Amino acid sequence: MDNNNNNNNNNKKIGAVLVEGGGIAGVQAALDLANSGFKVYLIERSAAIGGMMAQLDKTFPTGDCATCIVSPKLVECARNLNIEILTLSELYRIEGEPGRFTVTVKKSPRYVDEKICNACGDCTTVCPVTISDRFNRGLGTRKAIAKQYVQAVPNLPAILKLGHAPCKTTCPANINVQGYIQLIKKKEYIKAVNLIRERNPLSAICGRVCTHPCETACTRGQVDAPVAIRQLKRFASDKEMEMVASGQLALPEEKTPSSDARKVAIVGAGPSGLTAAQDLADRGYAVTVYEARPAAGGMLRWGIPEYRLPEKILDYEIELIRRKGVAFVFNCQVGKDITIDKLRADHDAVFIGMGLQKGSALHVEGENLNGVVQGLDFLKAIKEGTADIKDSVFVIGGGNVAIDVALSAKRLGAKEVQMACLESWEEMPANEEEKKQALEEGVIIHTSWGPKKIKGSEGMVNGIELKKCTAVFDDQKGFNPTYDETKTADFETAMVIVAIGSRSDPSLFGTTADLPVNQRGNIIADQYGLTEKDGFFAGGDIVTGPATVIEAVAAGKRAAESIDRYVRKEDQRTARFENTIAPVAEELLPSTAEVEKRPRAQAPELPVEQRTNNFAEIEAAFSEEDALAETERCLNCALCSECRECVAACEKNAISHAMEGQMVELEVGSVILTPGFEEFPAARKGEFGFGRYGNVITNVQFERMLSAAGPFEGHIVRPAGGGEAKRIAFIQCVGSRDSKCGNDYCSSVCCMATIKQALVAREHLEGLDATIFYMDIRAHGKDFDRYYERARNEESIHFIRSMPSRIVQVPDTKNLRVRFAHENRKFEEQEFDLVVLATGIDPKTSVTESISRLGIEPNEFGFCATNRLFPMTTSRPGVFVAGAFQEPKDIPETVTQASGAASMAMELLADSRNTLVVKKSYPDERDITDEEPRIGVFVCHCGMNIASVVDVLQVVDNVKSQPGVVFAKDSMFTCSDTSLSEIKEKIREHRLNRVVVASCTPRTHEPLFRETLREAGLNPYLFELANIRDQCSWVHPLNPKEATNKAIDLVRMSIARAQSLASLGGESLAINQSGLVIGGGMSGMTAALSLADQGFKTSLIERTDRLGGNLLNLYNTLEKDDISGFTAALIQRVENHPNIMVYRETEIARVAGHIGNFLITLARKGEKTDISCGAVIVATGANPAETTEFLYGKSKQVLTQVELEKQIHEQTFSSGGGNVVMIQCVGSRNPERPYCSRLCCSMAVKNALSIKEKDPDAQVFVLYRDVRTYGFRETYYKKAREAGVIFIRYHQDAPPKISDANGLVVTLDSPDFPESLEIDADHVVLSTGVVPGANNKAVADMFKVSLNADGFYVEAHPKLRPVDFASEGIFLCGLAHSPKFVDENISQARAAAARAATVLSKTHLDIGAQVSHVNQNKCISCMTCLKVCPYGAPLVNRDQKAEIVGAKCMGCGICAAECPARAIQLSHFETNQFCMMLDNLLAVGNS
Amino acid sequence: MKYAYYPGCASDSTARDQHVSCTAVARALGIDLAEIAGWTCCGTTPAHQTDRVLAASLPAANLVRARKMGLDIVVTCAACYSMLKMANYEVLHHPKVREQVSEALGQDYDGSVRVRHFVEVLLEDVEIDRIRKALKHSLNGLKVACYYGCLLVRPPEVNQFDDPENPMSLDRLVTAMGGESLDWPHKVECCGGALSLTRTDVVVKLSDAVLTMARAAGADCVAVACPMCQINLDLRQSDIKKETGKDHNLPIIYITQLLGLCLGIAADELGLEKLMVSPESVVKRLT
């Protein structure tokens, strides 16, 4: 790099971050970074952000609609000025160093201009190409140009292209076959023909005589038969001619070249010459065609019989070419009538396409006899009306010309026509259609015979002798016939017609102007038609030898381009069209396995008996019906067909098929990888028949099926065989925990996802019965076990612990028989209507490949390699990772880790915060004080969510005339970008001053709409939402009429209230930019360090006299990472950090203040100090549970896992070669403690492996209920089994028993063993789990946050706000949240820091205006409000009256409701507003 | 196209029909099958159930004979195929077994002789196009359930014959012959295998399941490529009738017999008369 270029900001880090992957992880990281002062580039490989979450139906265990909760986040991303979204993009290169990277992003074309498109959807409507929809996992279809999904962000369509279809790439002229077939499908026949003519002016002709190599390549041929491409071309062309004939379509106007046009001479009016002539005329050249014969057409006219190509067709297409301004000079033989030199002298270039005129000779005795005729001469004579015929004719040759000759001879009146060819029937070069016609018409064909001699008498032919041909081709596949001269056959005949090929005519060589000629007499020219002589070009048969019409057309086309380039003096070889036709990669061609077979259309043919004595055309065109049906057989191999209908439909000219990909260079300080995952390809587990059996689907497909916005609109119907799916089997671990397919890991989320799917499905379909086949149920997350227990208690949900071995589809019903070994060890088979495979999480192959290119190490499975103690750190410094690409994980952990990765980037780039961001400015707020209410109403369909029940249009109609309403309309998704823009537009257009949206729920969408009002210059509190989905359509699905009435009432009430809405203003508070962390364990220390590293002063409060917490009792991770060393280093960093103040032996005594300005009173040994801070992180930890079960405390040989780990570490543990029995779930997962402690299974595995390592002879037994070694921990479970650790399952209701009569004995009834087990134990180790900290309650009360039933803190939202509290400015991490591993705590601690940074990075905070206020006159000082407020917002002022602190008030309204004196009003929810709603509802005549 | 042909014991007895139809088809397609002089038993079930080294050595003895001929070995019996493949697999993957086998044979065997099923030769070496061109008759839409059984496709890592769950090799041949190959779910079910004589009850149960499914799928006949499958499905139809009352009456025909018919080879050269359930309905369909 040039030194001058990076002078003054040489060491300055760049305050921007690139996030790759637009799933929920990427979105969260982007939002956190952008909201705390960093510029973000969010890049996404597909056309829209949203990732997997946008494809899910509901989330567990909360039952939220996944799209509904993720959509606002996506929209927030799109609206954030500091987030730039780059779709269809992937990270290509990272250069530079942490803090100063130059990244290159490879951006693929959308083919739609993102700045111009207004998402009107016209292009999608007109697109004829219907393809399988990847978003719906093939359960539905989409158009080639479409939005990725309805609520897609950005809300724009994209065109899917894969390259060029086999038909197009195989066609010598590269005609866009798929394109014109799609146009025919739309009955756009003229457009179809025009598309054909772009590459081939001889459309109607080739529609009859083309050898159609395209059909051989057609993918449909692998299903049943290729699409009848030639006949479709003919059909469209004939339609055009019909329209011309009937006057519906005028012939194009005649053109004449301009007087100063450059001139080109074309020698020969055959297909190559005609094509070159038209192309050059189109480009403005003055073209003259010199033709030796009296009419144009060449071999088309003289060599193809009328019954295959009527002359009128030929004349028609030649006329079209003539009208382009092409001049013809007939009866002019170049070299004789005009010299080649003169031609060259008179023109800028000369094209020679004179074809081959002379038939090849046989070189046998008798060839010169009278009655021996050349086939081409014979065919020409027929056209000229001079053909002679005999009763018996013998044709030599096996090509199309030979058959044309034979059939023509028949038509002329020959009684007997025979043919002989060297080739066998299969080898014959003639088309199958022609061979078939020959047989039909009674031509006798002798295959594998060649002429030996032609016999005659008196100079006249009277017979022919044939000899047996034993092989036509030699080993090199060259034409080199061998004969068995001993086998001969004699035939009598009066005429022999030789049709064995054609060659150039030396007598015409005057034409060639000394052009180099090869040994066969053909002109030497390259693929572009260039000869060695300046200004001379050549193409067609004269260059290639005998070839097809379409090849000649292609040659003419290429030569025209070359001539144009020659005249313009441009390079001949760069950017030639024919070199841009990249075929669709074979693996991307449509799968033919599941395509339903449909017969190929057959064109009607003239009956054989009507073919004699005339030359009427044999084949007719398709009927319209047949043609349209035939177009449906096209599989659209290239996806987009480039028919350009969308271009024509787009009024904004936003679409361009010529758009190209580009490389974008960006300067960023850090990179975060959040590329997500893909599902395991279920077809790899062949025993389940996915891809073979229509009713075996994947879990993601089932999500799409359940989704109201999905292809089945939430109905559970069977893809194959129809009907509802009442009996559903779920099979777990498909592609997970399976070393056979290379996936040794557990995908972590499928158990819960399946339980959710079963529960949700039951709500969709009454009487539904679900059976879940599983290995272990891994419900290890917060509140998961309760959800699992709930499902287990459902009668209609069955859990069977078994891995099915096979699925068999019953042929007639398409039902599925699932075969498995039952718990009772009996082999069973159960029948189901639908089977859902819980496909596991795979890394995306393309991502794994690309990160390797970027210098980032993948792990053994292709995920990003990380370390348990540095879970977000990749092998490349400055590049971080989060989400499922790091390790399979659920949404909350993904969101947490994304925030965590964001904090890593913030730490790295702390100095550059706020250097590259811009602040959003809103237009000045309109003062509406004196305006009459002008209300706009927008009623949302919410896809089908509302519209399937409520008659939306009726609602609109009914509310239009309400007082104050000046505008009302419906919209599909009011929350979409387009609809929001429309709202703004309407506010301006109609000068609206109140807006009512009738849609889903204010909980998720109110902020979005309020923001929209602000952008339109209205106060956000002038917005009102009528909930007609959650509270109407969803609850009354069976009563559409009443639901519609109720919706009308609800909207009317909102309109009434809207009239009284007023503008409200908030206040701005200064923020104290320092943090406080409660808890000096690993989570607290990590969070504090993260804040401190970001430059925020941080106080760390620890209750005991030592930092470290539970870490002090841990020595290694399962993966053998050294925890002890890590802990020591962590403590040292915390203690020495200049930004951290550590308070030991200190507790929180009192909490006052609010977000941005907390006042915390600390107590240390009775001494109190006050400190203030802007944000608080609660990391108070948890404790190992204690127990008295299993003789713990009574026998020295009974210990806990924590104690065992310590003994192992201190080398005081010895198995003594005896049995170690570990008992899992001690005191856990029972009614008293109904949650899973998540850690214990892995801890048991860790300790068991340690024992085995030291003493391989020791017997270790692990007695368990479910082994929950999720994620990569599963590999250690496998290692433990391989090491000989014995895992034995027990049921909750039959736990192990212990006795100590003669040494310890553990007895157990396992469902997997027929008899009771009795194990003598030298040691019994108890997994007692984790219990929440005892003082959680006290802390929770002080901060007014809540605890769940188990005593852990409750986050704001378990999925999308996992480290936030409902109260603002307070965050949560570590074991205080729920039991989890070190790496998870690290992620979460950093996440809490990142979330806190979104507060601390700002100097001021805007407080919401929707707060309560006390009417001091009415207040009776009862202090009820103080007691009821969950956030501690009210206080007693000097006048002994209540007062509410705006910054703390969350606007819940409890105080207003409870105030006995009615002294409290909540702004925006004032009593009079509700009265107006009720008045409206109850008004006479309204109900 | 020359191969060392290993007929296996069944070719002289229960699967004589497969042997003759295979050799007839080979002649018609220009495949030279040079029978291995002095070939011996592959060891079959008794060997692999009792002694790992014996189970590898017996087939290996034939493999070294083929090695001397310098040719790929071609098998028609699926059981022999599996045993020969397994022998190669064992010596290639387990040096200890290789040592023991070499000791038993008196010479080293390295697992290098390529073992091919006749069906593989048809598809990979002759190729469908050539077969199609050589056909004289069409199956004319005959509905054929192609049945692969266990030993052709399993164990997949050893045999590497087609897709172990949904093989298509026989189906491709049937389609080429103008038949309709049925997509049915019991292509690789077990017919009872070697239990034919010792546990006829098991064979009756399993074969009945296969035949019931073939019929449910609409099969006119079942095409097989394994003597064991053929005999169990064909011979036990009378026992099934006795046990269950179900009269399947499905011809169980070797793929080579079907191919022979389509190549225009006379029925008596294909051993069709040996089938228990008369294939007359199949022969009649030919055009």
Side-chain angles (χ1 to χ4, degrees), chain A residues 404-610:
Chain A
D404 285 348
V405 165
L407 295 182
S408 295
K410 273 257 169 193
R411 280 162 176 72
L412 285 177
K415 296 204 168 60
E416 185 189 72
V417 178
Q418 302 192 63
M419 281 177 72
C421 63
L422 300 176
E423 297 90 353
S424 67
W425 178 257
E426 294 79 26
E427 292 165 332
M428 272 176 77
N431 279 356
E432 291 302 317
E433 291 104 315
E434 293 226 8
K435 280 155 72 176
K436 184 185 124 239
Q437 282 169 9
L439 287 183
E440 280 172 359
E441 298 190 21
V443 175
I444 299 159
I445 303 175
H446 307 282
T447 54
S448 302
W449 289 95
K452 189 165 184 171
K453 73 174 183 196
I454 301 173
K455 296 188 208 164
S457 72
E458 299 166 13
M460 294 291 292
V461 173
N462 65 6
I464 186 166
E465 185 182 351
L466 304 179
K467 56 184 175 183
K468 190 75 190 171
C469 175
T470 50
V472 188
F473 302 100
D474 58 23
D475 288 348
Q476 278 77 48
K477 299 197 170 170
F479 180 76
N480 187 15
T482 50
Y483 299 97
D484 182 349
E485 302 277 348
T486 61
K487 285 190 182 163
T488 59
D490 278 301
F491 297 93
E492 282 183 14
T493 184
M495 191 174 184
V496 172
I497 307 181
V498 183
I500 58 166
S502 51
R503 57 191 175 83
S504 62
D505 182 352
S507 72
L508 301 176
F509 266 25
T511 312
T512 60
D514 303 330
L515 286 174
V517 169
N518 69 13
Q519 55 201 21
R520 278 193 240 153
N522 298 331
I523 294 175
I524 298 173
D526 72 2
Q527 53 178 328
Y528 303 131
L530 302 170
T531 71
E532 279 182 14
K533 282 195 77 169
D534 184 65
F536 282 97
F537 299 82
D541 285 2
I542 191 66
V543 172
T544 56
T548 61
V549 179
I550 191 67
E551 280 166 309
V553 167
K557 212 89 209 144
R558 292 193 294 265
E561 169 75 23
S562 301
I563 289 169
D564 188 32
R565 289 177 181 224
Y566 168 76
V567 173
R568 296 159 169 275
K569 300 192 168 52
E570 283 174 9
D571 181 59
Q572 287 290 358
R573 284 166 206 285
T574 49
R576 302 278 311 205
F577 170 82
E578 50 275 17
N579 299 339
T580 64
I581 306 298
V584 177
E586 204 167 317
E587 66 274 16
L588 296 178
L589 284 172
S591 150
T592 51
E594 288 165 69
V595 179
E596 198 185 323
K597 290 184 183 176
R598 284 162 83 168
R600 172 179 156 125
Q602 293 294 334
E605 286 185 355
L606 203 63
V608 176
E609 56 278 12
Q610 288 173 31

Side-chain angles (χ1 to χ4, degrees), chain A residues 426-427 597 685-688 692-693 740 805-812 817 819 829, chain B residues 132-135 154 156-157 163-166 183-189 213 216-217:
Chain A
E426 294 79 26
E427 292 165 332
K597 290 184 183 176
K685 299 293 286 175
E687 64 267 38
F688 298 140
R692 264 176 93 193
Y693 305 149
K740 196 109 186 172
S805 57
R806 170 170 292 276
I807 295 176
V808 166
Q809 178 183 269
V810 184
D812 48 347
R817 288 191 201 138
R819 221 180 261 177
E829 201 167 66
Chain B
R132 201 180 278 127
K133 282 179 180 162
L135 296 177
R154 286 193 284 250
E157 60 274 26
D163 179 335
E165 297 295 343
N166 186 25
D183 181 17
W184 69 305
H186 276 14
K187 282 181 176 180
V188 294
E189 289 286 304
M213 188 56 86

Side-chain angles (χ1 to χ4, degrees), chain A residues 277-496:
Chain A
Q278 103 134 17
D279 273 18
L280 289 164
D282 277 345
R283 292 171 194 232
Y285 288 86
V287 184
T288 311
V289 180
Y290 297 86
E291 167 59 50
R293 292 193 179 166
M299 210 50 85
L300 298 170
R301 186 176 299 276
W302 312 104
I304 300 181
E306 178 79 10
Y307 65 83
R308 280 182 62 207
L309 177 59
E311 277 194 15
K312 63 170 191 194
I313 306 291
L314 186 59
D315 291 341
Y316 172 78
E317 292 204 308
I318 291 169
E319 174 61 14
L320 293 180
I321 293 168
R322 195 190 64 76
R323 279 173 177 258
K324 287 176 183 281
V326 175
F328 287 88
V329 180
F330 294 118
N331 299 311
C332 177
Q333 188 175 326
V334 174
K336 202 169 109 191
D337 301 313
I338 184 169
T339 67
I340 193 86
D341 290 340
K342 175 143 175 55
L343 273 190
R344 180 66 188 91
D346 290 351
H347 297 86
D348 293 286
V350 176
F351 172 75
I352 299 169
M354 63 196 219
L356 304 171
Q357 280 73 31
K358 230 176 141 54
S360 298
L362 281 175
H363 303 297
V364 297
E365 190 185 330
E367 195 168 3
N368 297 322
L369 288 166
N370 220 330
V372 180
V373 186
Q374 268 295 334
L376 289 175
D377 294 340
F378 177 72
L379 292 172
K380 181 174 151 224
I382 297 172
K383 292 291 178 98
E384 290 169 339
T386 58
D388 191 23
I389 197 71
K390 298 280 193 281
D391 277 356
S392 73
V393 174
F394 208 101
V395 182
I396 306 294
N400 286 335
V401 173
I403 291 184
D404 285 348
V405 165
L407 295 182
S408 295
K410 273 257 169 193
R411 280 162 176 72
L412 285 177
K415 296 204 168 60
E416 185 189 72
V417 178
Q418 302 192 63
M419 281 177 72
C421 63
L422 300 176
E423 297 90 353
S424 67
W425 178 257
E426 294 79 26
E427 292 165 332
M428 272 176 77
N431 279 356
E432 291 302 317
E433 291 104 315
E434 293 226 8
K435 280 155 72 176
K436 184 185 124 239
Q437 282 169 9
L439 287 183
E440 280 172 359
E441 298 190 21
V443 175
I444 299 159
I445 303 175
H446 307 282
T447 54
S448 302
W449 289 95
K452 189 165 184 171
K453 73 174 183 196
I454 301 173
K455 296 188 208 164
S457 72
E458 299 166 13
M460 294 291 292
V461 173
N462 65 6
I464 186 166
E465 185 182 351
L466 304 179
K467 56 184 175 183
K468 190 75 190 171
C469 175
T470 50
V472 188
F473 302 100
D474 58 23
D475 288 348
Q476 278 77 48
K477 299 197 170 170
F479 180 76
N480 187 15
T482 50
Y483 299 97
D484 182 349
E485 302 277 348
T486 61
K487 285 190 182 163
T488 59
D490 278 301
F491 297 93
E492 282 183 14
T493 184
M495 191 174 184
V496 172

Side-chain angles (χ1 to χ4, degrees), chain A residues 1190 1223 1263 1290-1291 1294-1298 1306-1309:
Chain A
F1190 298 104
I1223 301 174
L1263 313 184
Y1290 71 89
H1291 265 312
K1297 291 187 184 72
I1298 192 165
V1306 177
T1307 51
L1308 176 71
D1309 289 316

